[in-house]
Structures are given as structure tokens and as C-alpha cells.
Amino acid sequence: MRIGIIGAGAIGGTLARRLAKRGHQVSIANSRGPESLAALAAEIGATPVSVVDAANTGEIVIISIPTKAVADLPRDLFANVPSSVVVIDTGNYHPELRDGRIDAIDQGMLDSQWVAHQLRRPVIKAFNNILAKSLLEKGVPRGMTGRIALSVAGDSFDAKATVLRLVDDLGFAPVDGGDLDNSWRQQPGTPAYCRDLEASALRRALAEADRSRIAEYRAEREARIRRDIASHHDESDKR
Ligand SMILES: NC(=O)c1ccc[n+]([C@@H]2O[C@H](COP(=O)([O-])OP(=O)(O)OC[C@H]3O[C@@H](n4cnc5c(N)ncnc54)[C@H](OP(=O)(O)O)[C@@H]3O)[C@@H](O)[C@H]2O)c1
């Protein structure tokens, strides 16, 4: 498929690498322009493009940038993009660590609902609850034991089916995570977040999440990342 990726960092870059390897025609964009992506693109077999071109050349467009940066994308980015084009949001809102406070999300809007609102375009939430390293290294063909599962949430049946097939193509077991209103079940810190679970365990984890704890889950996750960064610094100081 033709796939445009906006964001060429840990997740966008990894998706570009893996998707190009699977034979997809991948275009990648970042905030600094295509020249800055020339070396990476040549290495992985993708085409470096502008953000506008990434949005306009794909049958699938993947948004993989910090949540706060979504507000900086061109206002009418998807105005002329056919509705058949599937837009995927890989994002996670990290208010303390990266994004600053986004009032609408703090007041209860789900991460991907906010992204869809900013883009004026429905999105499918996927690839937000796996770490880049697992995405790069742990995909295996269908039928192999221990295949990690990834959940996909969104409102369009057809768009979600396309993304579920993409998950499978990348070597992960596709799990329907419900509509976008259920996408909180795979947001930061939930039982289904970045735990490299197999399909049955992932379904259980999605089901056991508690909606009243969305903010708490997120805060716990951010605190954990902060602790991990601090202990990593402590280790470096000792060397
Ligand atoms: N890292 C993970 O393991 C992981 C896992 C799951 C989900 N996520 C989520 O996925 C999203 C991306 O995370 P990441 O870790 O890949 O981030 P990252 O490594 O920091 O990379 C961010 C990318 O976004 C680009 N970008 C920033 N602002 C932009 C703008 N206004 N227009 C176009 N491109 C822009 C950056 O380009 P420049 O360098 O040119 O600025 C960079 O290529 C985040 O929401 C994150 O929470 C991350």
C-alpha cells in the first residue's frame, strides 16, 4: 500500500522501516523538511517528503508526533484527502513529561478524540501501546507461538479492518479494541499499555481497565518513566 508517515522518530521511523521492508511504498515527513530525512529514507527504502505530501500521497496516513505538535500541523492538512484514506494516530498524551497541559484532554476528552478534533478527520488509534523496540524486533509471522497482539480502536469498520490487516502484516496479532470511545482502554498506564501481551491476555487487559482511573493510569505511567530516567542517570553518574 502507499503509506504516508508524519513523524520519523522512534515510532514513525520504526513503522517506516518495517513497512518498507514488507514491500509498502512509504513516504516519511518530519518538522524539519525532507532534506533532513534523506539519509534515513535511503537506508530504509522510503521517500522523504513534506508533511503536506505525506498526508496527500498515502492510502494510509500515520500521525506519529508528540501530541502537542498535532496542533502545529497545517490547519487544513486533510481538507483535500479522500475520506477513503485511513488516518492512524499512534500518539499518547504525556502532560508532565512532554506535552504540557491540554485542557480538553484533562477535562475528559480521549487522546485520539482530541487528535481527530485537531485534524478535523476521524482517526484510528493503533501502535500507541507498544514500545518502539518491541515494534522493531518482536513481529513474527502468523501461526508462530508467543505472537504479541496489538489493539486497534476506531469508529469506521472498514478503516479499522485495514489497520488490523496492517498489524497482522507487521507480525502482530490484531485485536479489535472497539470504537474510539473505547480507546481509553489502551491509553498510557492501562493494563493493555506496552506489556507485549498475546491476544487473549490483551483482550482481558482491555476488558479489565477502569474508566474512572484514566488520569491516574497516566500519572502512574509518567511517574514510572520519570523514575526510569532518574535511575538511568544515576547509573551513568557512577560510570
Ligand atoms: N517511543 C515509543 O516507544 C512510543 C510508543 C508508542 C507510542 N508513542 C507515541 O507516538 C508519538 C511519537 O513518538 P516518538 O517516540 O516516535 O517521538 P520522537 O522519537 O520524539 O519523534 C517525533 C517525531 O515527530 C516529528 N515532529 C514533531 N513535531 C512535528 C511537526 N509539527 N510536524 C511534523 N513532524 C513533527 C519529529 O520531527 P523533527 O525531529 O524534525 O522535529 C520527529 O520525527 C508520541 O505521541 C508518542 O507518545 C511512542
Side-chain angles (χ1 to χ4, degrees):
M1 296 185 85
R2 283 178 287 109
I3 301 178
I5 305 182
I6 298 175
I11 284 291
T14 300
L15 283 169
R17 184 179 294 271
R18 297 278 288 104
L19 289 166
K21 196 153 193 182
R22 297 295 301 151
H24 297 283
Q25 284 173 257
V26 177
S27 300
I28 44 173
N30 64 5
S31 74
R32 286 166 291 150
E35 303 75 30
S36 67
L37 287 170
L40 174 71
E43 183 201 331
I44 66 181
T47 307
V49 297
S50 67
V51 165
V52 170
D53 285 347
N56 282 278
T57 52
E59 293 155 276
I60 295 176
V61 179
I62 301 175
I63 309 289
S64 194
I65 65 179
T67 300
K68 68 174 175 195
V70 173
D72 300 332
L73 292 174
R75 197 176 152 76
D76 294 321
L77 189 57
F78 289 98
N80 298 315
V81 175
S83 58
S84 57
V85 171
V86 177
V87 180
I88 299 176
D89 170 32
T90 77
N92 295 305
Y93 169 50
H94 289 302
E96 299 291 334
L97 294 169
R98 189 192 60 202
D99 294 317
R101 290 284 159 195
I102 297 174
D103 289 345
I105 301 181
D106 287 345
Q107 285 161 20
M109 198 179 247
L110 303 182
D111 297 10
S112 289
Q113 287 174 335
W114 185 83
V115 170
H117 186 72
Q118 295 297 310
L119 298 177
R120 295 171 193 79
R121 178 82 188 203
V123 300
I124 301 289
K125 190 174 193 71
F127 306 113
N128 77 297
N129 56 343
I130 181 166
L131 294 177
K133 186 170 161 56
S134 294
L135 189 59
L136 180 66
E137 296 173 355
K138 295 190 177 169
V140 295
R142 200 179 316 154
M144 283 184 66
T145 52
R147 202 177 194 219
I148 291 170
L150 291 181
S151 49
V152 175
D155 294 336
S156 157
F157 179 87
D158 289 342
K160 192 158 58 175
T162 298
V163 182
L164 288 165
R165 279 195 298 275
L166 200 68
V167 164
D168 186 38
D169 188 32
L170 285 169
F172 299 91
V175 165
D176 187 337
D179 57 17
L180 205 65
D181 194 42
N182 269 289
S183 62
W184 62 271
R185 295 180 184 276
Q186 63 189 71
Q187 283 188 179
T190 56
Y193 190 72
C194 295
R195 290 178 60 211
D196 288 357
L197 302 173
E198 293 178 35
S200 54
L202 179 59
R203 285 196 191 90
R204 274 198 303 279
L206 290 166
E208 78 189 30
D210 175 353
R211 190 163 192 155
S212 71
R213 295 195 60 217
I214 291 175
E216 204 179 328
Y217 286 137
R218 193 190 310 279
E220 285 168 5
R221 181 68 188 184
E222 288 202 296
R224 183 169 155 194
I225 296 172
R226 218 187 273 283
R227 281 197 302 277
D228 288 349
I229 293 170
S231 70
H232 181 74
H233 282 160
D234 287 350
E235 284 304 311
S236 310
D237 290 346
K238 286 176 200 152
R239 281 190 208 124

